Amino acid sequence: MDERNTGLGFLVILALALVLPATSDVTSSYVTLTRDGYQNVVVSIEENSGFASCQEGLDTVKEMIRNTSKSFAQALERPAYFGNVTIIFPDSWAADPLCSSLLTSANVSDLPWARSHRADIRITPDHPVFGWQPHSFQYGRCQQSGLPINVPSSFVTSDTVLSKGMRMAREWAHYRYGVFDEGGMPSDQRHPSGYLTYQTESSDKILRPNTCSDLKTPAGSWSSDNCQSTTNVNSTCEFVADVNNPDIRSSLMYRPDLDHMEKFCIKENHDDSVPSKLSYHCGRLSASEVIYKHSDFNPVVPPANTSADITFNVIQNPFSGYHVVLDMASFKDAKSFETARSSLTQFVSFFADPIWLSIDVYNGYNVTELQPPIVLDSLTKMDLLFEIDNLEHVTGSPDKFGDALSRAQSRAYSGQDVIILTAVQTFSSLSTWVKSYEDNKVNAHLVHFGVSTTKVEIAQLTRYGSSNFVPNVINNRHTSAYSWAVNTLQSVYGKTRTHRAKIFEQSVIHNSSSDLNKTGTFYLDSPASRLLVSLYYHADNNPINVKSFTLIQPNGLRNDTIDFAIIINDFYTFTLESALEPLPQGLWRFEIIFQRSSSLTDKRLDIWAESANSSQIQLRTWNSALDNQPLDFTKAPVGLYAQLTQDSKPIRGANVTAFVYVSDSTGSTSSLLAEIPLMDEGISDVTSGDGIYSGFMTKPSNSSFSYSVYYRAYGVNSLAEVDKGVYSRQPTTGSMIPMSDPVPAAIQFNRFEYGPSFQLTSVSTNGVDLIPPQRITDLTILSYDSSSRTAVLGWTASKDNYGTGDYVTHYRLERSIGTRETVTTDYPSLAIVDGTVNVTVEVPSVNEGEYVKYRVQGRDSLVNYGEVSNVVSLAGPAPPSGGLSTAGLWAIIGTFIALVVIILIIVLIRCCCPVEAKRRKRQAQRKMRNLFSSNDTATRRAEDTPVTRYQSPPPPVQSWTSSDMKRDGGDPPAVRRKSDSSSSSSDKVRPQQQPQVEVRQKKANPAPGSIQGSERIYFGRDDIDRMTTGQRSETYSERGTDEMIKRAPSMDLQLATILRLNSSNMSIERAGLEDNYDESDGAPKPRVYERPYKPNPVSSRPVSSQVTSKGFSYIHGPNNKPLSQSETNLYYTDVTLRPPVGPSTKSSPTNSYLSVFAEQRADGVHQPSSAQSSLASTLRAGLRVNEEWRDSNNIIYTDPRFDGQSNGQSSFDPQLHPANQIGLPPALPTVPPPNFPRMYNSDAGYADDHRSSHMSMDQYGVDPQRMSRSSSKPSLVSAV
């Protein structure tokens, strides 16, 4: 098998890039939850997903998964996070040398089980209807997993979509745990955005929003003024919650895009009285309760480390083909074996793709390799077909069948799916192999021919595959065991062959011995790249004698197929392809001429079509037994589902039917049990318009455990439609998805799909009724009388046995108030009038904000209770008009008492501690004096003591010598020289003060024992603007708020930053260094980076200037105008901190604080100096557009028109400008300045350090952040 990893295997992968597009398969997931988080999560990236490069695609997908993991763990009380994720590249990426280098493994055997068509999360192009919105459609009951999550690439790469992690956490709850949305949609009859409910005290109705938001009504507004009046309210009313709702933290299933939304609702804050999807399908359960009922949390597995990094595996799609096991010894007779053998022969004849195939046969004693792994061509295919046709039936024991399973498992390690053709029910070592196949995640598909009334235990092998039971249908001119087996194998093949669909099937019946010419028509609904045709006997194995078989295209072109057909005994197959252009859609005809020697028994004609793209209508089928485990029919009916799509768009208006077959009481033959129509609407359907058709099997067999199903879908007269428009709302919230621009999917079409099958845990026993009545879904409050406090409830009467029996008259009514205990009342015999039931109930008194809730369930004569119905509710009294509610009054009283207590405490502190107050006053005065005067005694004394605060040496700087600047001479503020006692007073250095603004402060605490810590500081335009209004006489931390709000008139000032660290045992090692900085290049290169905000082109809603941790929130102002790009720029710089090498000379507080100062450069201040203004003008005029220039100290000057593009080196050299001869502005330090000699005083701290008071105050228990708060004015700041 090693040969499969050679060049031939690589060619197979290249070919698969063209023939195996990704698609979703509705089967069980590989995911498990362990102490190390979710394991085996599979993410597939589709072809043509829209990424600029594979590197961008991989990086953004990883970041999305990290955000999803973090948000989901944060939303739960029991953390669950992503631990191991496998990302599957599209085949074109895997074949690209630039992308293949990103693979963590190129060996298929490392992760052979992963499949792109069975991925949990699929990265796709933008959806043609739902656009950028990620979605996981749900089709089944509460707690039943949804379809895989489709994530459009524009969602992944967008910088403007709010709350990506929270949105994906909601979709993970849909997909993994079967949690439904909370909320509603306008004009939705089942889950409206707003609904009318009675008030218990007035008989009036009130309009209530359909929300789940911590038992509170979020701040927001209704879509129309009419919605405020109950007389004018209608179903189009929509409640729009404000994005900024600080008090609303749950539930994510309502609005994950709200700024502060971060939790799933729990039992204590869940509102189950609203008509949301969650309340409708899950009753009283909250979202968290639904999640915790999953086996992931039973028993509870405590996570090992919720902050651990995710392990990413990046691979190509490991699927490489099929390994077939043919169990010759398990069939009861030769005829049954010939059915299996002939169906395998047809399966091989239609192997049109360059994928691997291997075959083993078991003869009852040992396993023989019939065909080693091979990529078939026309010659090897014919040789293999003849070898299969020569196999004969044998008898033997199934005891050694485990040897065949062992060889199959070894093939699975190379990426092959396993197909098992057998009639055995069980064998001695089955349990061992069931565990082995599950542990190794073998993708096994069972095609079982042993018709029996007993349970097929061998189906347990198909945990990660499919189970298919071939019924022994006899005396049926439409179908047979042979035709069922042929089509079942094609359905298995179609799981990985996306665009192969069965479009036609028909029985060919001879009415007489002279009836040898047969003609007919079939409709090809979309252009095809290939047609696959099979003609064979229904039941007999006689040789088929065809004289000619001709296909006539819609344009009249005739295709005679006799020359390239494969004819082996009982079947005639061929493949029709067009090399130049697709085969045309339209009405095709076929003409078959049989030889006179042909048998006149019934024959079967099957036709499949393959398309080169997704324009072909696709039919996918599944049932409620996702893990292929037996279903308990007494708990729920069996759900049967089919999904119809065209180019990923849902198809509506089609006719879909499921045909259920089961064996008779003797186990020898099978017959039709039920013909079940599947609907994309109604009580069995979760969301109308999603293209998922559903129905329930409500009447099981009294004799058999196993059921076989095939599906037919068709559309006629252009009645089946797709939506050509766009649906911008969340597609999973309402009970329907409306169409904005319907167009016909096709004039007409037919689709057929066989399987999968299912089993039940038990057989219904005659005389013992274990099946409950159907669920009531339309409970309604018909009327309410406040004077008598009585309400009339009504509903459609429930029928027994999931709706197939008689009406039941016994009902149980549940009443609950808030979270109080539920009260139940039984009504043993209610009258049924015209199929409806009414009952009058007394409504108890409730408090403000509470609701009286009612639910009902039917009961049959043998005490089988149906599911609890939907909920209806009555609201408690509203607050008095013009007054306050009791709760509001108590809130005001409590606030007033708290304020009085705080004021008393402050007065007592001021009266009892005058010494401390005076000390603080002296400290502040000393601090101000030291900051703005270098001639005081304390400073001069401090300069004589060589104490260095920072470990890093200062950078080289330039001195100012110009007399025209009217400044004191000497060094710039980056370096202070020691005082020389022999010098005159005129020689003393007085550094020039520049206006400084502290724009952000945050804690900077590297973990104990770590070598260094890294901090990133963000600061916004508003923060910079506060420092551009001229000189300051105070530091930023001590100024009043009146001076902070003045904005600068210009946005193109040249700015730089100073970083300062308030810590005696920590130093700034480097600031703003680039990742690839080489110390050999010289001085460090600090940078202040600009991160522009780009508005979301998809969203039509504007944004506000309020920044949260999740991004820019929306505004709803009168002008509805978004901020300009210049107003939403963010700036940031990176700082690396390092602890001291030796012990600190002075004890430090527990926390260190890192501050970023923005300092206006001298050339940005309007000064009378001609040299300074000349330099500023020259810098602006001398730089060409889109350029930047660094001075000798690596301070970056940027052209105001700079837009991020560079046109090369500038010809302007500031060093040669006349202004440089007069003097350049003082350069700012590239690292924080050293701490100069100073005097420490217990009262005033360090005499020359205005920040040192923070440290001394911290030691006395005062919060240092109060002395350095940024501003009381909202700013564009987001500290990460």
Side-chain angles (χ1 to χ4, degrees):
M1 287 299 293
D2 292 339
E3 62 181 358
R4 299 183 55 235
N5 291 324
T6 61
L8 183 57
F10 182 70
L11 292 176
V12 172
I13 295 299
L14 285 174
L16 289 178
L18 301 177
V19 301
L20 296 179
T23 184
S24 60
D25 188 22
V26 187
T27 55
S28 58
S29 171
Y30 303 109
V31 178
T32 58
L33 180 61
T34 68
R35 293 186 70 250
D36 296 318
Y38 291 109
Q39 304 295 305
N40 309 320
V41 179
V42 178
V43 180
S44 70
I45 302 177
E46 271 198 11
E47 298 284 359
N48 305 315
S49 292
F51 294 110
S53 66
C54 50
Q55 182 69 66
E56 180 204 40
L58 179 60
D59 291 344
T60 53
V61 168
K62 284 184 176 180
E63 185 63 22
M64 180 197 71
I65 296 299
R66 292 188 185 100
N67 291 335
T68 304
S69 176
K70 179 180 177 181
S71 298
F72 192 79
Q74 178 182 342
L76 290 175
E77 293 177 319
R78 309 175 191 174
Y81 59 95
F82 286 34
N84 181 281
V85 176
T86 297
I87 299 176
I88 301 179
F89 270 10
D91 294 309
S92 61
W93 286 14
D96 186 345
L98 296 178
C99 300
S100 59
S101 61
L102 302 176
L103 299 175
T104 58
S105 174
N107 192 350
V108 172
S109 60
D110 289 341
L111 293 165
W113 48 268
R115 298 288 184 270
S116 59
H117 63 276
R118 296 192 56 213
D120 306 290
I121 301 173
R122 302 171 59 231
I123 311 300
T124 68
D126 280 10
H127 195 277
V129 177
F130 309 125
W132 59 268
Q133 299 181 92
H135 56 275
S136 169
F137 282 128
Q138 294 171 273
Y139 54 87
R141 296 157 48 86
C142 182
Q143 303 176 50
Q144 192 163 4
S145 300
L147 299 186
I149 305 172
N150 288 285
V151 185
S153 59
S154 62
F155 172 84
V156 180
T157 58
S158 173
D159 294 328
T160 59
V161 175
L162 300 180
S163 312
K164 287 185 182 179
M166 295 300 174
R167 291 177 188 268
M168 286 298 297
R170 177 172 72 167
E171 298 310 317
W172 186 254
H174 286 157
Y175 167 66
R176 180 68 178 169
Y177 298 107
V179 183
F180 290 91
D181 281 355
E182 298 175 279
M185 287 291 174
S187 304
D188 196 301
Q189 298 300 314
R190 190 186 293 175
H191 312 301
S193 178
Y195 65 100
L196 290 171
T197 184
Y198 285 99
Q199 283 187 288
T200 59
E201 306 301 323
S202 65
S203 296
D204 293 331
K205 286 187 175 182
I206 60 171
L207 180 62
R208 186 187 176 201
N210 185 358
T211 68
C212 185
S213 48
D214 287 334
L215 300 179
K216 307 170 189 174
T217 299
S221 59
W222 290 97
S223 57
S224 170
D225 293 338
N226 291 335
C227 300
Q228 305 300 326
S229 171
T230 57
T231 58
N232 297 323
V233 68
N234 55 50
S235 61
T236 62
C237 286
E238 180 180 12
F239 179 77
V240 181
D242 294 342
V243 174
N244 185 23
N245 266 279
D247 297 333
I248 306 301
R249 303 281 177 177
S250 68
S251 170
L252 277 182
M253 306 311 295
Y254 167 52
R255 285 283 301 275
D257 59 314
L258 299 187
D259 281 348
H260 303 277
M261 192 69 76
E262 61 183 7
K263 294 286 185 182
F264 293 114
C265 60
I266 59 177
K267 181 178 181 180
E268 289 71 21
N269 64 11
H270 173 55
D271 187 355
D272 63 343
S273 65
V274 297
S276 66
K277 259 187 176 178
L278 185 68
S279 295
Y280 183 88
H281 292 282
C282 300
R284 291 178 292 271
L285 295 177
S286 66
S288 293
E289 289 177 290
V290 174
I291 293 173
Y292 295 147
K293 283 183 173 291
H294 194 275
S295 59
D296 283 349
F297 299 95
N298 296 293
V300 177
V301 180
N305 181 7
T306 57
S307 61
D309 290 337
I310 301 174
T311 300
F312 287 102
N313 305 304
V314 184
I315 62 172
Q316 63 189 22
N317 188 11
F319 173 76
S320 59
Y322 294 97
H323 174 75
V324 180
V325 177
L326 177 60
D327 181 9
M328 299 190 301
S330 60
F331 296 91
K332 62 181 181 181
D333 51 41
K335 184 176 181 179
S336 298
F337 169 73
E338 289 170 358
T339 299
R341 182 192 62 190
S342 297
S343 61
L344 175 59
T345 308
Q346 287 205 41
F347 176 72
V348 174
S349 69
F350 284 144
F351 244 69
D353 302 321
I355 58 178
W356 295 92
L357 175 67
S358 57
I359 301 176
D360 286 348
V361 293
Y362 175 69
N363 59 14
Y365 304 97
N366 52 56
V367 183
T368 303
E369 184 179 64
L370 181 68
Q371 175 61 62
I374 189 175
V375 176
L376 294 175
D377 56 28
S378 57
L379 295 179
T380 56
K381 179 186 292 186
M382 289 304 301
D383 292 341
L384 178 58
L385 290 175
F386 284 116
E387 285 192 61
I388 297 174
D389 189 59
N390 290 330
L391 296 174
E392 295 182 356
H393 175 248
V394 296
T395 58
S397 170
D399 292 342
K400 293 186 178 180
F401 190 64
D403 295 342
L405 297 180
S406 176
R407 288 177 54 86
Q409 182 170 298
S410 66
R411 299 299 187 197
Y413 292 150
S414 299
Q416 291 178 267
D417 279 14
V418 175
I419 299 177
I420 303 172
L421 280 66
T422 184
V424 69
Q425 304 283 337
T426 186
F427 58 94
S428 57
S429 60
L430 175 62
S431 59
T432 301
W433 287 107
V434 168
K435 185 178 186 306
S436 180
Y437 268 46
E438 182 172 348
D439 291 344
N440 291 280
K441 295 178 282 297
V442 176
N443 295 277
H445 307 276
L446 174 67
V447 182
H448 194 269
F449 295 83
V451 178
S452 173
T453 58
T454 61
K455 193 177 297 183
V456 182
E457 299 291 348
I458 197 174
Q460 298 176 69
L461 292 169
T462 63
R463 166 71 172 80
Y464 298 107
S466 62
S467 292
N468 304 275
F469 309 133
V470 177
N472 185 24
V473 181
I474 61 175
N475 300 325
N476 187 320
R477 304 193 106 176
H478 172 70
T479 188
S480 65
Y482 184 13
S483 65
W484 198 293
V486 168
N487 284 275
T488 295
L489 285 171
Q490 288 303 319
S491 294
V492 170
Y493 188 82
K495 295 292 189 299
T496 51
R497 187 66 174 95
T498 306
H499 304 312
R500 176 180 291 187
K502 187 174 186 184
I503 63 171
F504 180 80
E505 63 180 32
Q506 177 178 301
S507 294
V508 179
I509 301 173
H510 299 275
N511 297 316
S512 66
S513 58
S514 60
D515 186 13
L516 300 177
N517 297 349
K518 290 296 178 181
T519 61
T521 60
F522 63 93
Y523 192 83
L524 182 61
D525 51 87
S526 62
S529 59
R530 182 184 293 163
L531 289 178
L532 302 96
V533 182
S534 178
L535 177 67
Y536 54 97
Y537 282 101
H538 251 316
D540 294 340
N541 299 111
N542 298 323
I544 191 166
N545 296 315
V546 176
K547 186 175 182 179
S548 67
F549 194 133
T550 305
L551 291 180
I552 300 94
Q553 300 185 17
N555 56 12
L557 180 65
R558 299 176 64 87
N559 300 102
D560 192 358
T561 65
I562 195 69
D563 293 333
F564 52 86
I566 297 176
I567 307 173
I568 296 184
N569 285 337
D570 61 343
F571 71 83
Y572 177 107
T573 66
F574 64 87
T575 300
L576 179 66
E577 298 183 74
S578 176
L580 299 179
E581 57 184 12
L583 300 172
Q585 72 180 83
L587 189 65
W588 288 58
R589 293 187 297 121
F590 61 85
E591 296 177 356
I592 308 173
I593 301 177
F594 293 93
Q595 296 180 5
R596 290 191 175 276
S597 58
S598 295
S599 171
L600 298 182
T601 55
D602 295 345
K603 302 174 183 64
R604 171 69 171 256
L605 177 62
D606 291 335
I607 302 177
W608 293 267
E610 288 188 1
S611 173
N613 53 53
S614 58
S615 63
Q616 188 181 58
I617 294 173
Q618 294 294 314
L619 172 64
R620 296 286 172 181
T621 59
W622 68 96
N623 54 57
S624 50
L626 291 187
D627 293 341
N628 296 313
Q629 300 300 311
L631 297 169
D632 188 347
F633 193 79
T634 64
K635 293 183 178 180
V638 177
L640 303 174
Y641 308 99
Q643 183 182 34
L644 271 175
T645 58
Q646 182 183 46
D647 195 21
S648 300
K649 299 178 182 179
I651 295 178
R652 314 174 209 198
N655 295 278
V656 185
T657 306
F659 301 87
V660 182
Y661 282 76
V662 69
S663 64
D664 57 21
S665 57
T666 63
S668 57
T669 60
S670 303
S671 58
L672 180 65
L673 175 69
E675 188 174 322
I676 303 171
L678 307 186
M679 309 292 291
D680 192 12
E681 59 185 2
I683 61 173
S684 64
D685 192 69
V686 172
T687 306
S688 174
D690 59 0
I692 300 174
Y693 294 73
S694 57
F696 292 144
M697 191 193 78
T698 56
K699 188 175 182 180
S701 166
N702 293 327
S703 59
S704 181
F705 290 89
S706 305
Y707 296 78
S708 305
V709 189
Y710 89 89
Y711 300 79
R712 182 193 178 193
Y714 67 93
V716 295
N717 300 327
S718 303
L719 295 178
E721 297 176 321
V722 295
D723 194 353
K724 191 179 178 181
V726 175
Y727 185 69
S728 59
R729 297 179 180 271
Q730 179 62 30
T732 59
T733 299
S735 64
M736 63 173 295
I737 302 174
M739 298 181 72
S740 60
D741 187 10
V743 296
I747 297 175
Q748 66 182 61
F749 70 89
N750 277 285
R751 291 295 182 272
F752 305 87
E753 189 74 15
Y754 286 71
S757 305
F758 63 90
Q759 295 189 97
L760 300 182
T761 56
S762 59
V763 174
S764 178
T765 304
N766 290 329
V768 179
D769 183 10
L770 300 176
I771 304 174
Q774 70 186 132
R775 185 190 183 214
I776 298 166
T777 60
D778 60 351
L779 177 62
T780 308
I781 302 176
L782 300 177
S783 64
Y784 176 68
D785 184 358
S786 60
S787 59
S788 62
R789 303 190 67 84
T790 57
V792 178
L793 307 180
W795 62 88
T796 300
S798 176
K799 289 185 176 181
D800 198 8
N801 299 331
Y802 295 135
T804 61
D806 298 328
Y807 286 120
V808 296
T809 59
H810 191 131
Y811 294 91
R812 171 174 288 179
L813 186 69
E814 295 183 0
R815 187 198 72 197
S816 59
I817 301 173
T819 57
R820 305 182 202 174
E821 182 179 357
T822 299
V823 177
T824 61
T825 304
D826 281 284
Y827 296 87
S829 182
L830 288 177
I832 300 175
V833 180
D834 295 330
T836 62
V837 179
N838 294 345
V839 63
T840 302
V841 297
E842 292 186 1
V843 178
S845 298
V846 294
N847 299 324
E848 294 176 18
E850 291 187 328
Y851 294 84
V852 184
K853 296 170 286 189
Y854 293 95
R855 289 181 173 87
V856 68
Q857 57 187 150
R859 200 202 79 175
D860 64 12
S861 57
L862 292 179
V863 200
N864 296 309
Y865 283 93
E867 288 186 78
V868 176
S869 73
N870 63 301
V871 64
V872 293
S873 61
L874 293 89
S881 177
L884 290 171
S885 65
T886 303
L889 183 60
W890 278 110
I892 293 176
I893 293 174
T895 303
F896 176 75
I897 293 174
L899 289 175
V900 171
V901 171
I902 292 172
I903 292 172
L904 288 176
I905 293 174
I906 293 174
V907 170
L908 289 174
I909 292 175
R910 298 289 294 180
C911 293
C912 299
C913 304
V915 176
E916 174 65 15
K918 292 180 180 179
R919 188 192 68 79
R920 293 186 179 180
K921 183 177 181 181
R922 291 196 307 271
Q923 180 186 41
Q925 292 173 345
R926 186 72 59 84
K927 174 182 176 181
M928 296 301 299
R929 183 169 62 252
N930 293 342
L931 176 62
F932 294 104
S933 175
S934 62
N935 294 322
D936 61 294
T937 306
T939 302
R940 290 196 300 272
R941 288 198 304 265
E943 290 175 347
D944 296 330
T945 306
V947 179
T948 302
R949 180 178 181 183
Y950 294 95
Q951 302 295 327
S952 299
V957 296
Q958 281 184 290
S959 299
W960 281 76
T961 59
S962 172
S963 60
D964 296 334
M965 297 299 293
K966 300 186 184 298
R967 305 179 45 162
D968 296 331
D971 291 328
V975 177
R976 296 181 183 177
R977 297 174 178 172
K978 291 184 180 181
S979 298
D980 189 349
S981 58
S982 63
S983 301
S984 64
S985 61
S986 63
D987 295 330
K988 292 190 178 294
V989 177
R990 181 177 181 271
Q992 170 70 20
Q993 293 293 332
Q994 293 199 46
Q996 296 179 351
V997 177
E998 179 184 348
V999 296
R1000 178 55 52 192
Q1001 183 192 80
K1002 66 185 292 187
K1003 291 183 179 181
N1005 288 328
S1010 65
I1011 297 178
Q1012 63 184 22
S1014 181
E1015 297 288 342
R1016 171 162 289 184
I1017 304 292
Y1018 284 83
F1019 51 99
R1021 193 78 240 181
D1022 282 0
D1023 298 292
I1024 296 175
D1025 291 341
R1026 295 191 191 100
M1027 52 143 298
T1028 58
T1029 57
Q1031 294 283 346
R1032 301 293 187 195
S1033 60
E1034 303 170 352
T1035 64
Y1036 174 73
S1037 299
E1038 296 169 348
R1039 286 204 318 275
T1041 58
D1042 292 341
E1043 293 183 65
M1044 298 180 188
I1045 61 176
K1046 186 175 181 182
R1047 299 180 62 87
S1050 174
M1051 302 295 289
D1052 55 355
L1053 297 173
Q1054 305 304 313
L1055 305 172
T1057 59
I1058 293 179
L1059 305 175
R1060 291 188 174 174
L1061 182 67
N1062 176 27
S1063 175
S1064 62
N1065 68 340
M1066 201 75 64
S1067 64
I1068 295 183
E1069 181 184 67
R1070 57 176 182 161
L1073 295 185
E1074 298 176 1
D1075 293 338
N1076 58 356
Y1077 167 63
D1078 184 1
E1079 294 184 1
S1080 63
D1081 292 343
K1085 301 178 177 61
R1087 278 181 179 268
V1088 179
Y1089 297 91
E1090 177 177 331
R1091 186 187 70 178
Y1093 169 78
K1094 297 180 181 178
N1096 183 4
V1098 179
S1099 173
S1100 60
R1101 293 188 292 180
V1103 297
S1104 76
S1105 58
Q1106 280 293 332
V1107 176
T1108 69
S1109 60
K1110 302 182 181 68
F1112 293 86
S1113 59
Y1114 293 120
I1115 62 172
H1116 303 281
N1119 298 325
N1120 215 25
K1121 181 181 179 183
L1123 297 176
S1124 66
Q1125 180 171 330
S1126 63
E1127 291 177 287
T1128 54
N1129 283 350
L1130 291 180
Y1131 299 80
Y1132 68 90
T1133 188
D1134 290 329
V1135 182
T1136 301
L1137 308 178
R1138 181 179 294 276
V1141 178
S1144 176
T1145 58
K1146 170 183 168 293
S1147 60
S1148 65
T1150 303
N1151 293 326
S1152 299
Y1153 293 89
L1154 174 66
S1155 300
V1156 175
F1157 288 75
E1159 179 161 317
Q1160 184 175 356
R1161 296 193 55 80
D1163 61 332
V1165 182
H1166 298 288
Q1167 299 283 357
S1169 167
S1170 60
Q1172 188 175 12
S1173 60
S1174 173
L1175 175 63
S1177 300
T1178 303
L1179 286 173
R1180 288 177 171 80
L1183 292 174
R1184 293 201 301 266
V1185 178
N1186 304 336
E1187 293 182 342
E1188 67 178 29
W1189 169 79
R1190 291 194 185 100
D1191 67 12
S1192 59
N1193 290 286
N1194 294 298
I1195 297 299
I1196 300 173
Y1197 291 79
T1198 307
D1199 188 299
R1201 299 163 295 179
F1202 182 64
D1203 63 358
Q1205 304 295 323
S1206 178
N1207 291 335
Q1209 296 295 325
S1210 172
S1211 60
F1212 171 66
D1213 184 2
Q1215 299 289 345
L1216 302 179
H1217 191 270
N1220 183 50
Q1221 309 305 318
I1222 300 174
L1224 287 172
L1228 295 175
T1230 57
V1231 295
N1235 191 22
F1236 308 104
R1238 58 207 169 160
M1239 182 68 68
Y1240 183 82
N1241 184 285
S1242 60
D1243 248 356
Y1246 289 105
D1248 63 341
D1249 185 8
H1250 77 281
R1251 297 286 293 167
S1252 60
S1253 60
H1254 291 192
M1255 294 179 57
S1256 59
M1257 292 174 66
D1258 191 284
Q1259 291 176 348
Y1260 286 93
V1262 179
D1263 183 2
Q1265 296 192 59
R1266 291 190 57 192
M1267 295 297 294
S1268 58
R1269 58 186 180 274
S1270 294
S1271 173
S1272 60
K1273 174 181 179 291
S1275 64
L1276 293 175
V1277 177
S1278 178
V1280 178

